[in-house]
Each structure stands twice: as structure tokens, then as C-alpha cells.
Amino acid sequence: MPLQASPDEYRLQFFKENSYQRKRCSVGGDFFWTLNSGFDTCQDVPDTDYWFDKIPSVPGLTVSEARRKFINFFARHGHTPVPPRPVVARWREDLYLTIASIVDFQPHVTSGLVPPPANPLVISQPCIRLEDIDNVGLTIGRHLTTFEMAAHHAFNYPDKWVYWKDETVRYAYEFFTKELGIPGDLIVFKESWWEGGGNAGPSFEVTVGGLELATLVFMQYRVENDNYVELPLKIVDTGYGVERMAWFTQKTPTAFHAIYGQLLDKVRSELGLPRPPDEYLWAAFRAAAKFNPDVEGSLDNFYSQVARITGANIGDVRGVLEREARLYSVIDHAKTIAMMLGDGVVPSNSGEGYLARLVIRRALRQLRQLNESYSLTNIVNMQVDMWASDFPQLKESRNYIVEAVTLEEEKYRDLLRRGEKLIVKELSQGADTETLIRLYDSYGVPPELIAEAAAKRGLAVSVPRNFYSLVAARHRAPAKVRSVEEKASLPEDVVEWARKFRPTVLLFHSDPYARAFTARLLGVRGPYFVLDATLFYATGGGQLHDIGTVEICGESYKVVDVQKVGNVIVHKADRDVSATECGDAKGEIDWVRRFRLMRHHTATHIILGAARRVLGSHVWQAGAEKTPEKGRLDITHHKPLTRDEIRKIEELANRVVDERRPITQTYMDRNEAEAKYGFVLYEGGVPMEPKIRVVDIQDWDVEACFGTHVANTSDVGGIKIVNVEKIQDGVVRLEYVAGTRVPEEMSSLEDRLSKISEEIGSGGSDELSKVKELKEELQRLEDTVKAYRSIWLSLAKNNLTSSSVGGVHVAVIEYPEPDVKSAREALKELTQEFTNSIVTIAVKQDKGYTYELGIGREAAKLVDAKDLIAAVGSQLNVSGGGRGTYGSFYSSESPEKIDEAMRKIINDIRSKTSKQP
């Protein structure tokens, strides 16, 4: 439960100096501060109607103008402007999307681990929130999936106080009155409480004429196990709605008119949609304040109220406003899609890619209901045009954005074509909300399509109005973020034991080319031991640990495993370490293994840089592994790589090797590194340290990386990509070898080619022509087999025509070849043509037959495959089963016996049904 804040938290000197009154809302009961003695509500919906269109302000501001006005105001008041971060939270491992400006600084700054980039600072952060995606459009602008949160932040340390509540409220008052021209007595500060990202604190919601324009949060607690722990760091966390400021000053009936202006008119025209009557929109503006889409019946009340205000027919009102809501949601979603893809998201079935696909598919669903033939790509492209000057990454990524959305549209159309077949088995008992979500997660099938398929079968499926919001909420963050200790394959008692030691000096970083070292023994626990310094690299960052030997007190041990616990390196010997009295240890790593690991790790960085240049900046590392044998890099990309793209990546990577680029490996302050390099730093993961180790391949690739690397790209020796495959939707895997592993891999390839030459009878230089001959011969054989299958199928049809039991064609036909797949294709054709047939095709196996059973549409009214196979099984030895019109079973019985049994069973069924009245 939220902490019950003391009223004293909200009693500010600013309020006292300016004679504010503390009142209690007569509707909702919230306390608020105001200069207006006539206010008896907190001026927030639903406690009051929207009436901000009647309130004076500066002339209408665009979104861009509102943003600039905010940043300039706070810059003049001593705040350093900080550029916004991506809408994909690349610096977080516990969150996919940037949902608020404070996310930029959680947890590394808010925890006190890292200082902020400036203090105080001002920022306008593009955000994406999908938990209310189903409400977008319905509430005429109260809900958006993409918006800008303008904010000023101050971080108050025990030894450095910046400012707190009074100054924050004073800034808000001054900004709204002087910059936006709002009368001071119409601005209300409503007492509230805020929680998010593990932090909490009292807050004020700034409301004017029914519209909340800002939230002023005073973050002073950390939430731990439902308890509030006071933070030593007190943080001013504000959020001003840039789009809401534009809406407020433009006085339009919806936020979408204020945000998108002429774009809204253009999309409406392109879709062939009529303009709604102005009185409908303004009536919706008045009624929207009381509309809560999460309350059952509220939407109907909303339409009814608009109908009462306008005197129009409620059916007409509903039709117009439903169409407008779809239009607004499509335009909103199109910008969200552009922003996500512009920041490098690749639509897929996992992570932030899953969320991008969710937005795309909801937009496509809404668009199809407006204009089935219009392309979403066109609208996304219009959004790129509109916002490119505000967000340059959109213009830079335009080709990728257009290509990715076009591909997603094709996938969606294909899904609609085959969607019903994917889900038909799931609909025997209908589908509840959990089933709908599972089918969407598994197949991407929209719930509306499931409901339509169910209705055809006489089943009622209710689709929750907030379906996409429910799905988005479940996928807002990774299921679990593993700690360093959880990643380490060490017993729990060893992890606890290791924590007591001081940090290990990492010799493998200071001199990765060193092979031997001397260190002091700090502790032993069975086969595990800790040294004060080590050359042995610990498993991490996708790179395997070093192995080698260590001499302790004159006794030699093999080092078989190395793990990291915090800043302590734990070594594992091949047996218990018995000698512990002396203090010295001498170690030597397996240099050949280490050098191969260094080469493969550096090759990973080189290939990633090459992939980004060949494929686009949307490419992001989705996983990596470096072993002595090879390297593996998984990258995000929206389609399989072509042979030409693979060749270009490999050529570019080897060019970098030949160019002898220096590789620097230095520790940098986190803020300095982010300011210099951006968030590509975190391709390989997000280290939670105030100083991060930056590996910089000159003018090519830079990452925060713990691994060992060569000092110059020439030391990689050479790179050969040996395998490329799509491992899941939106992720492509590249496998490669480097250095001396290249000739080894080529020797292996030569051996395989030699064996292939022997198998095909090639002389060693004419493999290609021989393969072409074999391919042509195979094609001739396939054509012959196809002809024979056609002849067999004609004979089978004749057999069916002449074999009847009580008007039903019953036949067990032996297939001429042991190919179950082609037998099933023949079965399908027979049962589709002979709808009143029961066909069984016998395929000869080693000691019996596989029987493929098909039942035509009309014959299926007589018997089910499951029951028929069970009846045959009661007479003969069979194993298998089926359902509906298809079944499969195995038996050692001959086709003649199966045929005899089936005919008898069908004849008995026919006899019983004919006797029924």
C-alpha cells in the first residue's frame, strides 16, 4: 500500500507567501492548493469537466514550440539542457521502453552509483507507454502511446543541496503564468503520491481547467519488499506534457488536432473519410472528462451524453466517434512505430521487438476497419516527414523504417489468410482471455479473428476491450534480470565466501598479452581459491574463461574454471587445494586458447560494426559467444541475410583487419562515455558501474566490454564467416572463425568437398558440372514419379467410385511407395473430391503398414476418425488415433483385413442409423 504522506509534506513556504488555500475536492476528496476561493474541486477529470478551452493563454503552440519554450525557460534558470535518450531503454536491463524522463537516470543515478550528467538539468524525453493502448483515440487525447515528457530534475546529495519542493512549485507557477500566459488563480496544485521504478515520494499534479499539465514528484523513498526506505539522495522528478501544452494553447477539440494539425487532415483525405461535424467533436470534448474507458458502461454513457448535447441520434454519434477514434489511434500508433524503429527496434516475437509488432498489428487492425486497401507504411512515412527535424534519427533510418513496416504488413496479411487454420483446434470449447493472449503470443493471431472464427462454429468468444493493453503490460520488461552471482556457476556457499575478499587486480586487462604471473594467495575453499591478482579471465560477456596451471606452495594444479563474484575472481582447480600456509602463487595461462578467445572476441566487435554499416543502424547485438573454436554473434534484423550481404560484411570486416586499426581499452566515467559514444556502448550489456571499461576500435566500433582483446585489428589475422541462419523472427545468427582457425576451418571444408567428390564420382575439378548432371537426373526422376503418382491417383479414384457401403465410398488402397508425406497429399485430394468417402491409404513399412485415414465432409456426419480407428482397434491389432476428418494408425495387419473391418463397421453404423425413426 502507498505510504500515507503527512499533510506537512505539502505545506510549502510558496503557498504561505502567496496566500494559497488548502481545500478538499467536493467530488473526489483529494486535497489541493489554490488561489481561487470559488474552486470546490481539484480541477482534474473526472471531478470537473474540460473547460480549458475557455482559459486565456499564449497563442497556439505547436509541439516543437512548446518543447523549446520549456527548455529555454529552465535553461535561463540555471538548468543544463540534456539531449533525450532513445525510446528504447538501451541502458536498462529491466525495462524495454523509455516510459518517463526519470527512466533515463534509473537506477544508476537515482541509486547514487553515478552522478547525473548535469545538476540541475532540463530535458524533453520522447516516451512510449502501451499499457493504455486500447484507450488511445477514445479519450480524444488523454491517452497516447507516444508523447514527450518535458522535465527538470535536481539531485540533492547530503553534501550538495540544489533545490526541493518550494523552488519546484515556484518554477511551475512561473512557467505556466509567464510562459504560457495562464491566469495564476486558475492553476491548481493537487496533492498526490507517486511510485515507479522502485522509487516513491509525495507529488503535486498541476491541473488547469480539467487538464493535468504537469506532475511534480519529490522522490525520497526506495521501495523494498513493500516497505519505504528513505533515500540519502532526494530527487526532484517532474513531468510536463508537451503535447498537452500544445492542446491547451491551441484550444482544439482533441489533442490529435493540436499534435498533428494538417497531417490529420491529409490522412483523413487519403483514407476517404468525411470530416465529422464540429458539434460532435466539441460535445465529445465536454463529455470526455467523465469518460473512464476502464469502467464498464462508461463508453455507452459517453456516446449518450454526446447525443444529448448535440440532439443527434445516438447511432450516428457512435458511428462517427468510433471512426474518429480509429483514425486517431492509427495516426498515434504510426508515430510510435516510426519512433521505435527509428531508434533501432526490429519487430519480432520477443523483447522490445514484440512490443513494436503489437503496435503495428493493432494499427493495421484499426486501419483495415477504416480503409482495407490503404497501406500503413504510407502513414508511417508521413510521420517521418513531420518529425524528422525534431528527431533526426527518423530521417536517417527512413529506408529501414519503410522496409520493416512494409514487411510487417505482408506478414499480417499472410497471418489473416492462414489464421483460422492455426487456431481451429483451439476453438472446440471456445476461448477465454488467457487463451486469446496465449494464441496471440504463440501465433500473433488477433483476438478479433479468433472471435470471428468461433462465431462461424456457433461459439461465443468475448474479446476484452483492453486486450492489447493486457498483452503490453505482460511484456513491458524482461521476466527476470539475473545478477552476477546468478550468472556464475558456483555453489552458493562459495559465492558467499568469495564476497568477503577485496577486489582482485585484473592483470588480464592491464596486459592481455602476458602469459605468466605471480600473486598472493588470499583464501582456499576446497578446489576454489582466490588470489590478490590474476591473469585468468573469468567467464563473462559471452567469453569463456581461461584455463592453465597454478603452483601453490610448490604444488601444481590445473585451473579448470574461473568465475567472477562481484569484483572478486574465483579460480577452480582440478582438485582440492591442500597447501595454504605459504602466501605466493605462480600461474600460467593456456596462451593458445587465450589468444584464440581474444581474436574471436575482437572479431565479434569488428563484425558487428560491419553488419551495422551493411544492414543499417537498427542492427543491435542480441547475443554473443566466444570460444576457442569460433565466435557467434546474434543480431537484430528484419529479414534473412542475402549471400551478397554476407559477403559484404565479411569483406568489410577483413578490410578492417588489414587496416591495422588500433584498439584502446580504457576505463571512463559513465557519463563521459555516454556523452562521447552514445548508447551503442551497451551493445553487449549494461555494466552497473560508475566507471565502465570502453573498448574502442578506432573509428569502427565502441562498446562497454569486460572481455580480452587484441591491441590492433591486424592481430585478429583474418575472419571467415562459416554459417549464417535466422534463429528466430527478427534475429539472425552469424558464426565465424578468426586467425589460425581460418585455415583449420578451410581444411575441414576441403575434406568435406573431397568426400562429396568421391560420393558423386567427380574427378576433383568438375564437381559443379557433376552436381548439375545429378540435379537434372533427379528432376527427370521426380517428373517420372509425379507421372506414376498421377496414374495411381486415377486408379484410386476409379476404385473409390466402384466401392460403396450403403452409399458411402469406403476403400483401403495400398500406396506404391514408402512415402507417407505424398500419401497424405493424395488422401487430401481424394477426400476433397469425394466428399462422401472414407479413404485409407496404406504405406508399407518394415514389418507392417502406416495407415493414413481421411473422411470426406459429408461422410464425417456419419463417423469421426477417432471412433472409427477405435472400432477397428477392437477387432484388429492397431495403434494410433485421430480426430474429426483425419487419423493415422500403424498395424501389421494387411490392407485387405483393414478394408474388411472398416466396411463391416460402416455397414453396421449405416444399419443402425437407417432404423432410427
Side-chain angles (χ1 to χ4, degrees):
M1 293 291 292
L3 183 69
Q4 186 64 45
S6 165
D8 291 339
E9 294 277 11
Y10 305 99
R11 299 186 191 279
L12 306 185
Q13 186 65 27
F14 173 80
F15 293 148
K16 183 178 179 181
E17 290 173 0
N18 292 279
S19 302
Y20 271 78
Q21 300 175 57
R22 185 177 189 251
K23 292 188 170 188
R24 189 165 195 172
C25 183
S26 62
V27 180
D30 295 306
F31 287 98
F32 64 95
W33 295 83
T34 180
L35 292 170
N36 196 314
S37 60
F39 282 168
D40 63 352
T41 72
C42 60
Q43 296 298 295
D44 195 9
V45 296
D47 299 345
T48 189
D49 290 336
Y50 283 144
W51 63 282
F52 62 83
D53 61 313
K54 310 295 185 185
I55 296 176
S57 68
V58 297
L61 299 172
T62 66
V63 170
S64 299
E65 290 167 346
R67 181 197 311 119
R68 284 196 298 272
K69 188 174 282 288
F70 181 88
I71 292 174
N72 291 341
F73 172 82
F74 282 96
R76 292 197 307 269
H77 287 79
H79 294 68
T80 301
V82 171
R85 294 193 174 204
V87 296
V88 190
R90 300 292 193 189
W91 58 96
R92 299 278 294 266
E93 290 189 326
D94 60 340
L95 193 66
Y96 291 131
L97 300 175
T98 309
I99 58 174
S101 64
I102 195 62
V103 167
D104 296 3
F105 312 105
Q106 289 175 319
H108 50 287
V109 175
T110 57
S111 66
L113 181 71
V114 178
N119 196 13
L121 61 84
V122 61
I123 188 172
S124 185
Q125 175 61 51
C127 300
I128 293 178
R129 291 184 188 173
L130 305 180
E131 284 82 353
D132 293 311
I133 188 172
D134 297 286
N135 297 337
V136 173
L138 290 173
T139 56
I140 72 170
R142 194 160 73 240
H143 296 94
L144 304 169
T145 59
T146 182
F147 59 94
E148 283 186 64
M149 183 178 286
H152 62 98
H153 296 285
F155 302 87
N156 297 290
Y157 294 85
D159 59 345
K160 183 186 178 183
W161 195 261
V162 184
Y163 63 80
W164 195 226
K165 297 177 184 177
D166 267 290
E167 295 89 339
T168 301
V169 172
R170 194 181 305 274
Y171 280 137
Y173 180 84
E174 186 175 341
F175 174 75
F176 286 127
T177 56
K178 294 184 179 180
E179 299 297 316
L180 294 195
I182 301 173
D185 64 336
L186 300 184
I187 300 171
V188 166
F189 295 90
K190 185 176 77 169
E191 295 178 7
S192 187
W193 181 264
W194 175 90
E195 290 191 20
N199 299 121
S203 65
F204 288 108
E205 295 173 10
V206 187
T207 58
V208 185
L211 189 64
E212 181 185 339
L213 291 175
T215 302
L216 315 176
V217 176
F218 306 100
M219 190 186 296
Q220 55 195 66
Y221 298 102
R222 182 175 65 252
V223 184
E224 291 183 357
N225 301 320
D226 295 329
N227 294 316
Y228 294 91
V229 180
E230 189 163 355
L231 290 168
L233 182 61
K234 303 295 190 296
I235 301 167
V236 173
D237 169 25
T238 66
Y240 289 65
V242 177
E243 287 82 3
R244 291 193 175 190
M245 288 189 272
W247 188 14
F248 186 96
T249 58
Q250 289 187 42
K251 317 298 184 194
T252 55
T254 79
F256 302 97
H257 288 78
I259 299 167
Y260 297 106
Q262 293 181 354
L263 177 64
L264 177 60
D265 295 331
K266 182 177 181 181
V267 175
R268 187 192 300 280
S269 175
E270 293 267 326
L271 295 177
L273 304 177
R275 284 185 60 86
D278 285 346
E279 58 267 28
Y280 281 25
L281 294 181
W282 281 111
F285 176 85
R286 304 295 172 206
K290 299 293 192 295
F291 172 36
N292 183 350
D294 296 327
V295 175
E296 188 174 351
S298 185
L299 182 58
D300 290 333
N301 293 337
F302 173 60
Y303 293 140
S304 296
Q305 190 174 350
V306 174
R308 283 196 300 272
I309 294 172
T310 60
N313 178 275
I314 189 171
D316 292 341
V317 167
R318 181 187 298 271
V320 169
L321 294 184
E322 282 182 348
R323 185 185 66 227
E324 286 297 292
R326 290 193 185 99
L327 173 62
Y328 301 154
S329 66
V330 167
I331 291 176
D332 165 271
H333 295 3
K335 183 183 179 186
T336 299
I337 293 161
M339 295 295 289
M340 293 180 79
L341 272 57
D343 276 338
V345 177
V346 174
S348 68
N349 292 329
S350 61
E352 62 270 14
Y354 177 98
L355 297 174
R357 177 165 288 165
L358 182 145
V359 178
I360 291 171
R361 290 192 170 171
R362 187 175 191 277
L364 287 168
R365 176 69 184 179
Q366 298 292 316
L367 182 58
R368 284 175 65 86
Q369 293 176 297
L370 296 172
N371 186 323
E372 193 168 359
S373 62
Y374 198 80
S375 171
L376 177 64
T377 304
N378 293 340
I379 305 176
V380 174
N381 207 17
M382 293 179 204
Q383 293 283 19
V384 173
D385 286 335
M386 180 172 185
W387 301 104
S389 59
D390 295 81
F391 309 107
Q393 70 270 27
L394 297 182
K395 185 176 182 180
E396 295 165 4
S397 302
R398 182 194 295 271
N399 290 342
Y400 160 66
I401 293 171
V402 168
E403 188 176 76
V405 177
T406 301
L407 182 60
E408 286 298 304
E409 288 199 75
E410 293 172 1
K411 289 180 178 179
Y412 186 73
R413 286 193 293 269
D414 179 63
L415 178 64
L416 294 182
R417 284 192 295 269
R418 59 188 180 88
E420 191 168 331
K421 292 180 181 179
L422 287 173
I423 61 177
V424 66
K425 293 181 181 179
E426 304 283 347
L427 293 176
S428 58
Q429 302 298 323
D432 58 12
T433 298
E434 286 301 315
T435 303
L436 293 176
I437 292 175
R438 178 172 56 79
L439 290 173
Y440 183 85
D441 278 348
S442 301
Y443 305 115
V445 181
E448 300 86 358
L449 189 65
I450 298 172
E452 292 166 8
K456 293 178 184 177
R457 291 160 177 77
L459 300 170
V461 170
S462 176
V463 179
R465 195 201 60 76
N466 64 336
F467 175 83
Y468 290 94
S469 299
L470 292 172
V471 175
R474 294 190 183 194
H475 292 267
R476 69 189 299 269
K480 188 178 183 182
V481 179
R482 295 179 298 171
S483 67
V484 171
E485 287 79 7
E486 288 173 320
K487 292 177 182 176
S489 57
L490 294 171
E492 289 185 14
D493 62 317
V494 175
V495 170
E496 291 301 317
W497 166 75
R499 286 196 178 113
K500 71 179 183 180
F501 296 104
R502 63 179 181 268
T504 308
V505 176
L506 308 179
L507 301 177
F508 52 78
H509 278 172
S510 56
D511 186 3
Y513 286 83
R515 307 184 186 193
F517 69 103
T518 300
R520 286 186 57 79
L521 180 67
L522 299 182
V524 172
R525 189 178 184 89
Y528 301 98
F529 62 94
V530 173
L531 307 173
D532 70 337
T534 187
L535 266 180
F536 286 96
Y537 179 81
T539 295
Q543 179 179 327
L544 282 180
H545 59 83
D546 287 327
I547 61 173
T549 59
V550 65
E551 183 181 301
I552 301 174
C553 300
E555 190 168 349
S556 181
Y557 302 87
K558 290 181 180 178
V559 176
V560 296
D561 192 14
V562 189
Q563 299 288 335
K564 188 170 178 280
V565 178
N567 293 317
V568 176
I569 304 298
V570 179
H571 309 73
K572 183 180 181 182
D574 58 339
R575 63 189 189 281
D576 286 354
V577 178
S578 57
T580 61
E581 295 303 319
C582 64
D584 292 334
K586 295 179 181 179
E588 185 173 349
I589 62 171
D590 181 331
W591 171 249
V592 172
R593 174 188 168 96
R594 156 68 74 78
F595 194 42
R596 287 186 170 186
L597 285 165
M598 289 166 63
R599 281 174 151 172
H600 283 144
H601 202 149
T602 306
T604 301
H605 290 219
I606 294 173
I607 289 177
L608 181 58
R612 287 175 66 86
R613 284 163 175 80
V614 172
L615 305 175
S617 59
H618 62 276
V619 167
W620 195 264
Q621 180 174 313
E625 183 180 50
K626 304 92 183 180
T627 69
E629 290 73 36
K630 64 181 178 181
R632 169 180 64 76
L633 174 66
D634 299 337
I635 58 171
T636 56
H637 190 53
H638 52 295
K639 57 184 180 180
L641 301 193
T642 65
R643 182 60 205 156
D644 186 53
E645 287 170 337
I646 296 168
R647 185 179 293 109
K648 285 180 179 177
I649 292 170
E650 186 176 272
E651 289 174 353
L652 209 51
N654 280 298
R655 186 189 306 167
V656 170
V657 171
D658 288 342
E659 287 171 349
R660 294 182 53 80
R661 298 188 185 221
I663 302 173
T664 58
Q665 304 168 55
T666 57
Y667 279 90
M668 297 179 67
D669 286 332
R670 189 189 187 99
N671 287 326
E672 179 190 353
E674 289 181 354
K676 183 174 181 179
Y677 299 114
F679 300 103
V680 292
L681 278 169
Y682 304 130
E683 286 272 9
V686 186
M688 286 308 299
E689 302 288 344
K691 286 183 176 291
I692 56 178
R693 184 171 183 266
V694 177
V695 177
D696 183 1
I697 301 176
Q698 187 182 66
D699 299 327
W700 189 254
D701 179 82
V702 58
E703 297 180 42
C705 184
F706 189 75
T708 56
H709 294 271
V710 297
N712 187 286
T713 57
S714 63
D715 279 358
V716 173
I719 297 171
K720 179 63 184 172
I721 297 175
V722 296
N723 184 51
V724 177
E725 60 182 322
K726 174 183 171 182
I727 61 169
Q728 68 181 65
D729 203 18
V731 180
V732 176
R733 172 167 293 173
L734 297 95
E735 295 179 317
Y736 41 88
V737 292
T740 52
R741 282 288 294 122
V742 174
E744 290 178 5
E745 189 69 24
M746 292 303 98
S747 294
S748 176
L749 180 60
E750 288 170 356
D751 290 342
R752 291 201 300 273
L753 286 173
S754 178
K755 289 179 181 178
I756 291 171
S757 295
E758 291 176 11
E759 290 292 328
I760 65 176
S762 166
S765 59
D766 61 342
E767 291 92 346
L768 186 58
S769 60
K770 189 67 176 177
V771 167
K772 286 181 178 178
E773 289 177 16
L774 291 172
K775 184 179 178 182
E776 291 169 359
E777 177 64 23
L778 178 61
Q779 185 61 54
R780 287 194 293 271
L781 290 173
E782 287 179 349
D783 291 342
T784 302
V785 170
K786 187 177 180 180
Y788 278 117
R789 284 177 181 169
S790 180
I791 294 170
W792 180 90
L793 195 59
S794 297
L795 294 172
K797 290 178 180 179
N798 291 333
N799 190 333
L800 264 180
T801 305
S802 61
S803 60
S804 175
V805 177
V808 178
H809 298 297
V810 180
V812 177
I813 313 169
E814 187 167 354
Y815 202 62
E817 54 181 315
D819 185 346
V820 175
K821 183 179 178 182
S822 62
R824 285 177 186 158
E825 292 173 356
L827 179 68
K828 182 178 179 181
E829 183 172 338
L830 290 170
T831 53
Q832 285 179 343
E833 182 172 340
F834 295 85
T835 58
N836 198 27
S837 66
I838 299 173
V839 185
T840 307
I841 297 183
V843 183
K844 189 76 174 77
Q845 303 294 315
D846 289 341
K847 297 181 180 180
Y849 292 85
T850 292
Y851 290 92
E852 296 293 308
L853 168 67
I855 302 177
R857 184 176 65 255
E858 292 299 320
K861 298 174 182 178
L862 181 68
V863 66
D864 180 274
K866 178 182 178 182
D867 297 333
L868 182 54
I869 293 172
V872 174
S874 67
Q875 300 179 28
L876 300 172
N877 182 25
V878 304
S879 60
R883 186 171 70 174
T885 61
Y886 172 75
S888 179
F889 60 93
Y890 177 83
S891 178
S892 58
E893 305 287 358
S894 69
E896 290 78 15
K897 285 190 176 182
I898 298 293
D899 184 70
E900 182 182 345
M902 286 216 174
R903 288 174 173 275
K904 183 177 183 306
I905 292 165
I906 299 302
N907 191 53
D908 290 344
I909 294 173
R910 269 300 192 198
S911 298
K912 291 177 182 177
T913 55
S914 64
K915 292 177 182 178
Q916 292 178 356

